[in-house]
Amino acid sequence: MDALTPHLPVLLVLTPLFGGLLAALMPRRGPAPWIWSALVTGFEVLLGLSMVKLVRQSPQETITYFIGWWPAEYGIAYEIDALNAYVILVVALLAFVSTIYAKSSVEDEIPKDRHNFFYSIWLLAISGMVGICATADTFNIYVLLEISSLTVYTLIAMGKYRDRRALTASLKYLILGSIGATFILLGIGYLLMLTGTLNMADMHEQLMLMKAEGDLAGNRTILVGFTFITVGLGLKMAMWPLHLWLPNAYTFAPSAVSALVASTATKVGVYMAFRFIFTLFGSVYDSSATLALMAFCGTLGIIVSSIRAAQATNVKKILAYSSVGQLGYIVVGFSMANESGVAASVIHILNHAVTKGAMFMACGAVVLRMGNADLKSFYGLGRRMPATMAAFTIGGLGLIGMPLTSGFISKFYLISGALHDGKWWLAMVVLAGSLISIIYVWRVLEVIYFKKPEKRAPVEEAPFTMLIAMWILASASVILGVDAELTGRLAEFAARVLIGGAT
Amino acid sequence: MEGLGLFNYWIAVAIMMVGFYGVIAKRNLVKQAISLGLFQTGVFLFYITMSVYRAPDGTPGRAPVWEAILDGFTKDPGPYDNPLPHVLMLTAIVVGVSTLSVALAIIMNIKRLYGTVEADEISEIEEAIEHREEMMSR
């Protein structure tokens, strides 16, 4: 392993990339592609863990990898610091768990002769998402973003075998996502014009120089670049009101895809927003007006989408709308731009990934056994699929933010950040959002435990691989809720890395 | 004169806006996909335009490597255009082509399963499905 250590940052991206290409060559039928993807993602987790270990040895430093040993001004550099390593590990872990989960659900939902292609695209999507976190080159971010987006569009479209509405949902996501990505590309173009470089750290340095010389005062180029990038990122991370693609895409995607995408894709978007707003534009460009707008959108997003979630009758749709709402918490957190607020959103990235992952997985198990995820299918499942529904319940409590679940920790940080800034109205919105989330979680829990099933036909418990995956996430949610030290210290450190340079 | 100097940028922005308008206003999915491609092409033109260099004395920049290779790297090739945006756009063109092909593949499937590529007719069909589902869940 020692010989590989210096190449860790690039291996993180190359492993699933080549793994994905090889998966397409596997036999079409049989479990071979699944076993291969589980191995690849498992290896990815190991790489992520060793990356985190490397970072912890010298937490103040950034590990830089120059591809082809070209220096950062000419080539592409990958930079890993405390925040990166953490997000990469989250993505890798969730990818691994979702891959284990995928077996039964893919066998059920995807035609038998397409499994190799499914897993090939699946691994490519993971490679793109990890790559976005690892790279420090803005254009490389765009390319990897498109790799992950194009593959996710395809994965969602594969839901057509169960419901044809997956196709229109996927096309809507494709159009809005491509507009977002093109906006980001355009913004990067403006920054390239201004600084003549693509490397983020280098760009920041050039901008600092220009600021010192007073060239930035009233500079329109940076204003336009910043605006294009923020709107593009807003589309990509489904910030309310740019979330229109999300609910249908999550609802009609194959269950395994919903679990993977809901727990990772938007989180990577949030990570990009961190990098652009704090690392690149921090202390160069006064983003307080934009952040205020984001706080406004975040709070409205929390309230409006939680209400929409409370009205939906399809459990997958409830979870999808709740994702938009939970994303609102993350946006509100970093829009405070203080340490505790940013720490709250970093923690919530993990906590929401874990809880929503577990819930989408439980939902997928219901789709497998009952054929759909309507609220009606959940009637009385508490007795018939007890393990699955227990995982769903733990996830639901996490969404509400009950003490002893992970959701509580993030909301605690969020509210303390809001009160620290004297923004008591933000704290009120967070509490109101929790109250509405009680309603929509309760609507599901009520039918699970207190309604009689419509048909008397016996229902089997979910398959073993599914149960393992969802219970890993559900117990992670509890562990992270009980032991806040685990994530808290890392997140606070990551927050200091981000805010450090900024005012 | 300055407005004319920015001629290329005007064209780039105009192409982008035509494409963007098409994505928003057209109700035919194929037309939407084509407009999306047009929108991206506008961005390519924008990047290419930004790479153009003109020396302070008015000499236009040239293709950087070609001239130097022709004289065997013997003398200074003079002012040259920035090659970086060109290279970036090669990648972006590939990305644009793949986006368009994924979009067309999805539209093909939509045509097969819905029998139409008009957004209005599709949303009518979907509303009918949703209405039926709501009736069922009561």
Side-chain angles (χ1 to χ4, degrees):
Chain A
M1 219 29 209
D2 273 353
L4 291 182
T5 311
H7 299 287
L8 264 182
V10 77
L11 273 180
L12 277 168
V13 185
L14 292 186
T15 309
L17 186 69
F18 284 100
L21 296 181
L22 286 177
L25 302 176
M26 299 254 158
R28 288 173 164 234
R29 289 155 198 277
W34 174 71
I35 295 173
W36 173 249
S37 327
L39 285 176
V40 170
T41 44
F43 186 61
E44 181 80 2
V45 173
L46 291 183
L47 290 176
L49 280 173
S50 32
M51 199 70 245
V52 168
K53 194 180 144 217
L54 262 185
V55 170
R56 291 192 91 152
Q57 278 166 2
S58 51
Q60 305 299 331
E61 281 169 37
T62 310
I63 297 166
T64 314
Y65 183 88
F66 301 109
I67 291 184
W69 306 125
W70 289 93
E73 306 91 278
Y74 309 115
I76 296 167
Y78 279 15
E79 278 177 18
I80 312 278
D81 58 19
L83 177 64
N84 270 2
Y86 169 86
V87 180
I88 288 175
L89 186 62
V90 173
V91 173
L93 273 173
L94 280 156
F96 179 55
V97 175
S98 318
T99 309
I100 292 183
Y101 172 85
K103 185 171 184 285
S104 324
S105 129
V106 168
E107 275 169 6
D108 182 48
E109 292 174 25
I110 311 288
K112 290 268 178 289
D113 59 340
R114 297 281 162 88
H115 286 188
N116 57 340
F117 295 128
F118 178 86
Y119 284 111
S120 167
I121 297 171
W122 174 271
L123 287 176
L124 288 178
I126 294 164
S127 140
M129 287 189 275
V130 172
I132 293 171
C133 303
T135 185
D137 183 282
T138 43
F139 190 76
N140 205 223
I141 286 186
Y142 165 74
V143 173
L144 288 162
L145 178 69
E146 283 293 40
I147 290 181
S148 70
S149 311
L150 282 172
T151 45
V152 168
Y153 308 147
T154 319
L155 287 175
I156 289 171
M158 287 200 195
K160 73 166 181 169
Y161 299 113
R162 226 168 41 77
D163 191 326
R164 58 181 169 173
R165 277 173 288 174
L167 289 172
T168 43
S170 165
L171 190 70
K172 197 176 194 178
Y173 185 11
L174 186 144
I175 286 172
L176 288 175
S178 299
I179 290 175
T182 312
F183 273 15
I184 294 174
L185 180 64
L186 206 53
I188 293 170
Y190 279 101
L191 293 177
L192 175 67
M193 249 165 146
L194 202 60
T195 62
T197 172
L198 287 169
N199 183 274
M200 257 191 188
D202 209 18
M203 235 179 213
H204 182 72
E205 232 166 73
Q206 297 285 338
L207 289 173
M208 287 298 269
L209 278 178
M210 294 176 75
K211 194 190 182 191
E213 287 166 13
D215 284 350
L216 280 189
N219 189 322
R220 289 252 189 90
T221 315
I222 190 170
L223 171 76
V224 175
F226 179 80
T227 312
F228 270 123
I229 287 179
T230 339
V231 175
L233 287 173
L235 271 167
K236 277 291 174 191
M237 68 186 188
M239 184 178 75
W240 193 91
L242 304 174
H243 69 284
L244 290 173
W245 55 268
L246 189 142
N248 275 351
Y250 283 14
T251 310
F252 298 118
S255 314
V257 175
S258 302
L260 176 76
V261 173
S263 52
T264 52
T266 47
K267 311 299 176 294
V268 171
V270 175
Y271 167 80
M272 282 195 290
F274 283 158
R275 277 294 172 209
F276 275 110
I277 293 176
F278 294 119
T279 311
L280 183 55
F281 288 107
S283 74
V284 177
Y285 178 81
D286 178 25
S287 50
S288 56
T290 313
L291 287 178
L293 184 66
M294 282 181 136
F296 177 71
C297 290
T299 46
L300 267 182
I302 292 173
I303 302 294
V304 174
S305 16
S306 300
I307 292 175
R308 289 300 296 272
Q311 291 167 337
T313 52
N314 181 315
V315 177
K316 263 182 135 177
K317 204 160 226 169
I318 295 178
L319 294 183
Y321 272 114
S322 130
S323 277
V324 181
Q326 299 289 320
L327 221 96
Y329 291 117
I330 298 178
V331 170
V332 164
F334 77 75
S335 69
M336 287 178 213
N338 62 15
E339 243 174 57
S340 157
V342 174
S345 26
V346 174
I347 294 176
H348 204 52
I349 288 181
L350 173 60
N351 290 348
H352 178 241
V354 168
T355 38
K356 212 22 98 42
M359 292 181 88
F360 265 114
M361 282 176 180
C363 216
V366 176
V367 172
L368 177 70
R369 290 295 182 230
M370 307 292 293
N372 60 49
D374 280 343
L375 211 49
K376 260 194 173 166
S377 307
F378 279 71
Y379 278 25
L381 279 187
R383 295 238 176 82
R384 304 158 111 198
M385 299 171 80
T388 310
M389 288 306 120
F392 188 90
T393 311
I394 292 174
L397 295 180
L399 279 189
I400 298 171
M402 280 271 281
L404 293 186
T405 59
S406 56
F408 177 70
I409 309 288
S410 12
K411 280 183 189 159
F412 182 80
Y413 267 92
L414 204 55
I415 291 177
S416 67
L419 293 180
H420 176 81
D421 267 15
K423 290 178 179 159
W424 53 269
W425 55 276
L426 271 185
M428 296 291 284
V429 169
V430 172
L431 289 176
S434 301
L435 283 179
I436 307 175
S437 63
I438 291 177
I439 299 175
Y440 65 71
V441 172
W442 177 250
R443 277 183 68 214
V444 186
L445 293 187
E446 187 193 8
V447 302
I448 290 176
Y449 290 108
F450 299 111
K451 288 260 181 168
K452 289 246 151 42
E454 293 208 311
K455 277 176 259 162
R456 281 259 144 249
V459 178
E460 246 184 289
E461 181 58 90
F464 185 61
T465 45
M466 280 186 162
L467 281 181
I468 284 191
M470 71 180 84
W471 271 99
I472 288 176
L473 294 187
S475 43
S477 165
V478 175
I479 291 169
L480 293 174
V482 174
D483 184 8
E485 280 283 296
L486 215 62
T487 44
R489 233 176 321 139
L490 197 57
E492 276 173 20
F493 185 76
R496 240 169 289 145
V497 169
L498 282 175
I499 302 286
T503 42
Chain B
M1 270 320 274
E2 206 183 334
L4 275 181
L6 295 175
F7 179 72
N8 257 33
Y9 287 105
W10 285 112
I11 297 296
V13 171
I15 292 178
M16 262 190 275
M17 288 307 111
V18 169
F20 199 42
Y21 170 81
V23 174
I24 296 168
K26 291 289 169 197
R27 303 302 294 160
N28 183 308
L29 297 183
V30 179
K31 284 183 184 166
Q32 274 189 358
I34 293 171
S35 306
L36 195 63
L38 204 57
F39 179 45
Q40 285 172 332
T41 312
V43 179
F44 303 159
L45 191 58
F46 170 78
Y47 264 78
I48 300 298
T49 307
M50 99 172 78
S51 72
V52 172
Y53 176 75
R54 200 165 282 241
D57 60 356
T59 340
R62 299 161 176 215
V65 187
W66 187 237
E67 300 277 323
I69 289 176
L70 282 187
D71 6 290
F73 297 101
T74 45
K75 57 174 195 239
D76 178 19
Y80 58 86
D81 291 340
N82 186 355
L84 181 65
H86 292 90
V87 180
L88 298 184
M89 281 314 102
L90 277 183
T91 316
I93 287 169
V94 174
V95 170
V97 168
S98 354
T99 312
L100 196 59
S101 52
V102 171
L104 290 178
I106 294 174
I107 292 170
M108 219 170 73
N109 273 299
I110 289 178
K111 170 75 181 166
R112 241 176 239 158
L113 293 181
Y114 285 83
T116 173
V117 289
E118 296 292 331
D120 295 329
E121 290 172 27
I122 290 170
S123 45
E124 254 171 47
I125 296 174
E126 293 200 332
E127 266 162 32
I129 298 176
E130 256 159 45
H131 186 70
R132 205 165 55 226
E133 275 177 0
E134 237 168 68
M135 288 290 119
M136 295 260 286
S137 68
R138 258 180 214 153

